[in-house]
Amino acid sequence: MGAHPATASPLVRRYTLEEFWELEAPPEGGHHELIAGVLYVVPPPTGPHNIAISNLNRIFSRYLDAHPGAGQLFVPRAAVWRPDWQTWLEPDLFLVTAERLRTTDAGRLDTADLVVEALSAGSATYDRTAKADTYAALGVRELWLVDLERRAIEQRVLEAGRGGSQARMPGPRRSRPRSSPA
């Protein structure tokens, strides 16, 4: 982009995916995400955020190891994206079932069966609103919002275009995702 600094105001600029991919990383760390051409700056993760996602990664990996062929776990920098919507989101962790992967290119994932976002002070509002609504519009089946302060998981079963139903699960209780194979 060179001469034009990145802007998150849709009144100043909306980006295509090609322009988005050319942006430099935010100078204070983190990364950018794009929703309908609107740029969002996502702050870098905190230590507790990293530990929570690492622990969930191990739990989901063990589940998938015990259920061969059930699906695939994706970690950051893998994205859920739609070129025609100028949208690119990087979940903290997401699961795509084997059934979906049989008909989808793993390099062009436009939805997921389960998305996990760990909430931190700098991203909680964005994760609960714009990002959660976008996941619903993209057809994501289930969203877990891991509230690090409350040590709880807010589970949302999403409906396309709407936020879907919600359930709160206090930590440290472990639960199997609804969208995972039986």
Side-chain angles (χ1 to χ4, degrees), residues 1 6 10 16 22 47 53 56 63 73 79 81 85 93 104 106 110 117-118 120 127 132 134 148-149 151 175-176 179:
M1 300 269 42
T16 66
E22 295 297 320
I53 294 303
L56 285 169
Y63 175 84
L73 185 64
W81 58 295
W85 289 3
L93 205 59
T104 305
D110 60 5
E117 292 287 355
S120 56
D127 288 341
T134 302
L148 300 173
E149 287 184 21
R151 298 182 53 88
S175 175
R176 185 173 55 86
S179 57

Side-chain angles (χ1 to χ4, degrees), residues 1 14 32 40 44 52 61 101 121 124-125 137 143 146 155 173:
M1 300 269 42
R14 288 184 183 262
H32 292 115
Y40 291 83
S61 293
L101 283 172
T125 299
L143 172 63
V146 180
Q155 178 186 24
R173 179 179 161 217

Side-chain angles (χ1 to χ4, degrees), residues 6 14 20 34 55 67-68 84 93-94 103 113 115-116 120 150 152 154 160 174:
R14 288 184 183 262
F20 167 77
L34 194 67
N55 289 340
H67 299 87
D84 53 332
L93 205 59
F94 67 104
T103 60
D113 296 288
V115 166
V116 178
S120 56
R150 293 188 178 122
E154 180 182 329
R174 293 184 186 157

Side-chain angles (χ1 to χ4, degrees), residues 161-181:
R162 299 190 356 223
S165 62
Q166 300 178 21
R168 276 201 165 331
M169 295 184 291
R173 179 179 161 217
R174 293 184 186 157
S175 175
R176 185 173 55 86
R178 287 187 190 184
S179 57
S180 68

Side-chain angles (χ1 to χ4, degrees), residues 14-158:
R14 288 184 183 262
Y15 293 88
T16 66
L17 270 175
E18 291 74 21
E19 293 168 329
F20 167 77
W21 289 329
E22 295 297 320
L23 292 174
E24 293 180 16
E28 58 278 349
H31 66 278
H32 292 115
E33 293 185 330
L34 194 67
I35 300 175
V38 177
L39 190 66
Y40 291 83
V41 179
V42 180
T46 62
H49 175 283
N50 289 338
I51 290 170
I53 294 303
S54 178
N55 289 340
L56 285 169
N57 188 11
R58 288 193 348 252
I59 292 166
F60 285 128
S61 293
R62 283 195 299 261
Y63 175 84
L64 291 170
D65 286 345
H67 299 87
Q72 190 70 40
L73 185 64
F74 292 87
V75 296
R77 301 284 322 210
V80 175
W81 58 295
R82 287 279 304 262
D84 53 332
W85 289 3
Q86 307 304 329
T87 297
W88 177 279
L89 297 175
E90 294 182 16
D92 289 325
L93 205 59
F94 67 104
L95 178 83
V96 179
T97 61
E99 177 183 359
R100 185 180 305 276
L101 283 172
R102 282 193 280 280
T103 60
T104 305
D105 176 356
R108 294 190 64 115
L109 296 168
D110 60 5
T111 192
D113 296 288
L114 171 66
V115 166
V116 178
E117 292 287 355
L119 305 177
S120 56
S123 67
T125 299
Y126 168 63
D127 288 341
R128 280 195 165 107
T129 58
K131 203 166 183 182
D133 291 344
T134 302
Y135 285 137
L138 291 170
V140 170
R141 294 180 184 168
E142 189 171 335
L143 172 63
W144 286 9
L145 297 168
V146 180
D147 190 325
L148 300 173
E149 287 184 21
R150 293 188 178 122
R151 298 182 53 88
I153 297 174
E154 180 182 329
Q155 178 186 24
R156 296 185 184 182
V157 178
L158 303 177

